[in-house]
Amino acid sequence: LLVSPVRNRLREIVGASTNWKDHQQALAERASLSQYLAQSQDELPAKTMKDSAVEAHLPLGSQPALREKYLNYHNSVRFGRILEDLDSLAVLICYSHTWNKELKRSPLSIVTALVDKIDLRKNIIYPDCDIKFTGHVTWVGKTSIEAKMHMSQYHDGAYTNVLDATFVMVARDPENKRAAFINPLKLESPEEEAIFQQGEINKTRRVELSTASLLKVAPTAEERTLIHNLFLNTLDTQTVSFRSRILPPNSVWMEDCKMKGLEICHPQERNIFNRIFGGFLMRKAYELGWANACAFVGCRPTLVAVDDIIFRKPVEIGSLLLLSSQVCYTEGMHIQVRVHTEVLDPLTRQHSTTNVFHFTFCIDNDIPSVVPQSYGESMLYLDGKRHFDETMRTLPHQTLQKLYLTLLV
């Protein structure tokens, strides 16, 4: 399977129209598929991990005409395009798991709930070498699915791993209004049981992180001390005033580390359910976050990890999408960037958050510290530190060493 026909295959699976003018009719036809939904998970046959296994190729080496879409100014591959391909592939993997051969079209609407983690194993992605994506379902609940994918590239006579990605998808009814049951997973070996158990661990970790969110509970005692020390370091000792603040050496106020963008959401960027494609949102957020990091350090940063992308609500076609990027934490050679996206309704002027993205970048020398001034900025700082610490904890030490070595070449 080639990467380019993946979205066409998804359209066939759900019966989506390729013409925007026919989308209302296609949606109405999908509503009739509700009769084929299972009333409980017990009604559905168990599937194996092999049933959902997918391999897709991106022939950048053998098809030069394809390179234009993926090539960036630095003669490397646009990572935002890779995010789009990963999102499409994750959806296809989940449809492969739930596919019923007796039906021409799937009654399920499978959408991206979150990107749990994307870890980079190599810094360089060559624009003229073939890429291979592989993946399969690794965990299922009653209505949600975890899909794990690997991307490798053919170079010097062999495929080497470039990245590992974990996506969590949810199944909805044909009109995308309520949850729908999916096939249980049949485990066939101790290795598969270990993979499934890791999925359970991932789920538990996500629940714990959500429970401890700074939007819900106060910072820990250690975090409160850190923020107070940052505050003390910025006080003007000459004035003895809480209001008089001085920027420490080799530091930047957090207020000065922002970048914003706007996208008008056209039908061209729609998904198979006639909403804006999640991969497009990820690409735009990544590109703004990268530009923000680049402007902050004054050189080209390297992506280390993508972490905890949450899709809070779908983005409708015609929306005004506002993107806000913020460098929220730095440590050593690393930059933690948070991108917040929201939809603006021009008629009511109401703002609705749609996504939050977290990116970790690095460069080959030390980076200035970002310093918060307000309490809200302090919470952003702590949230960025939490995501950075989690990335450093889970990313293998050998991988970090490889990334640093390629930076120094």
Side-chain angles (χ1 to χ4, degrees), residues 195-347:
I195 292 170
F196 185 86
Q197 189 57 42
Q198 183 59 51
E200 290 283 359
I201 293 169
N202 292 341
K203 180 187 175 184
T204 302
R205 174 178 51 82
R206 288 192 294 269
V207 171
E208 290 173 351
L209 290 173
S210 176
T211 304
S213 168
L214 292 166
L215 293 170
K216 298 177 182 177
V217 296
T220 65
E222 183 181 348
E223 289 173 333
R224 291 196 296 271
T225 301
L226 172 62
I227 291 302
H228 192 66
N229 287 338
L230 283 172
F231 171 73
L232 292 177
N233 288 339
T234 63
L235 286 180
D236 185 352
T237 55
Q238 303 298 317
T239 62
V240 197
S241 168
F242 287 119
R243 291 187 178 183
S244 184
R245 310 283 291 276
I246 293 178
L247 189 64
N250 196 33
S251 300
V252 183
W253 292 122
M254 190 178 281
E255 174 66 27
D256 300 324
C257 308
K258 295 179 179 179
M259 193 170 283
K260 295 183 181 290
L262 166 70
E263 289 292 330
I264 301 173
C265 299
H266 297 291
Q268 181 186 8
E269 307 302 341
R270 71 189 185 278
N271 63 15
I272 52 178
F273 306 116
N274 289 298
R275 286 178 169 127
I276 294 301
F277 173 43
F280 170 78
L281 299 174
M282 285 194 282
R283 173 165 67 87
K284 288 298 177 181
Y286 166 75
E287 289 173 351
L288 181 66
W290 184 91
N292 192 185
C294 183
F296 176 73
V297 296
C299 63
R300 184 186 176 200
T302 298
L303 182 69
V304 174
V306 182
D307 171 39
D308 196 24
I309 297 176
I310 301 172
F311 289 78
R312 298 185 183 275
K313 61 180 295 186
V315 177
E316 302 292 341
I317 292 166
S319 298
L320 297 179
L321 185 70
L322 307 177
L323 301 96
S324 302
S325 177
Q326 172 77 69
V327 175
C328 53
Y329 182 75
T330 62
E331 184 176 316
M333 300 189 295
H334 293 89
I335 317 158
Q336 190 68 35
V337 179
R338 179 183 190 268
V339 180
H340 175 269
T341 62
E342 59 184 2
V343 166
L344 167 65
D345 186 327
L347 301 179

Side-chain angles (χ1 to χ4, degrees), residues 51-69:
D51 289 331
S52 62
V54 170
E55 180 175 308
H57 293 261
L58 183 60
L60 297 180
S62 50
Q63 292 187 16
L66 191 61
R67 291 177 202 158
E68 280 293 305
K69 180 181 175 182

Side-chain angles (χ1 to χ4, degrees), residues 122-123 290 300-305 360-363 403 406-407:
K122 277 183 65 179
N123 176 34
W290 184 91
R300 184 186 176 200
T302 298
L303 182 69
V304 174
T360 306
F361 297 95
C362 67
I363 62 170
L403 286 170
T406 51
L407 281 170

Side-chain angles (χ1 to χ4, degrees), residues 47-170:
K47 298 290 189 75
T48 66
M49 290 188 184
K50 292 175 184 175
D51 289 331
S52 62
V54 170
E55 180 175 308
H57 293 261
L58 183 60
L60 297 180
S62 50
Q63 292 187 16
L66 191 61
R67 291 177 202 158
E68 280 293 305
K69 180 181 175 182
Y70 288 84
L71 189 67
N72 67 20
Y73 168 74
H74 302 283
N75 199 36
S76 182
V77 170
R78 295 172 60 185
F79 189 73
R81 292 293 188 195
I82 299 298
L83 288 174
E84 290 183 328
D85 292 339
L86 287 171
D87 192 48
S88 295
L89 196 64
V91 177
L92 182 60
I93 287 169
C94 294
Y95 271 119
S96 299
H97 174 79
T98 60
W99 183 243
N100 182 347
K101 294 179 181 178
E102 295 178 5
L103 300 177
K104 290 184 178 179
R105 290 181 293 171
S106 172
L108 298 175
S109 299
I110 295 177
V111 295
T112 308
L114 64 93
V115 178
D116 187 70
K117 197 78 175 169
I118 300 176
D119 289 328
L120 274 291
R121 307 302 181 189
K122 277 183 65 179
N123 176 34
I124 300 171
I125 305 177
Y126 300 99
D128 55 356
C129 296
D130 288 357
I131 288 173
K132 179 172 68 176
F133 296 94
T134 58
H136 60 82
V137 167
T138 51
W139 174 90
V140 299
K142 289 190 175 181
T143 62
S144 56
I145 318 175
E146 180 188 272
K148 197 174 283 287
M149 292 164 287
H150 308 282
M151 173 180 143
S152 56
Q153 187 165 41
Y154 191 80
H155 185 67
D156 288 341
Y159 277 100
T160 54
N161 195 23
V162 176
L163 65 80
D164 302 318
T166 305
F167 281 55
V168 177
M169 323 299 283
V170 290

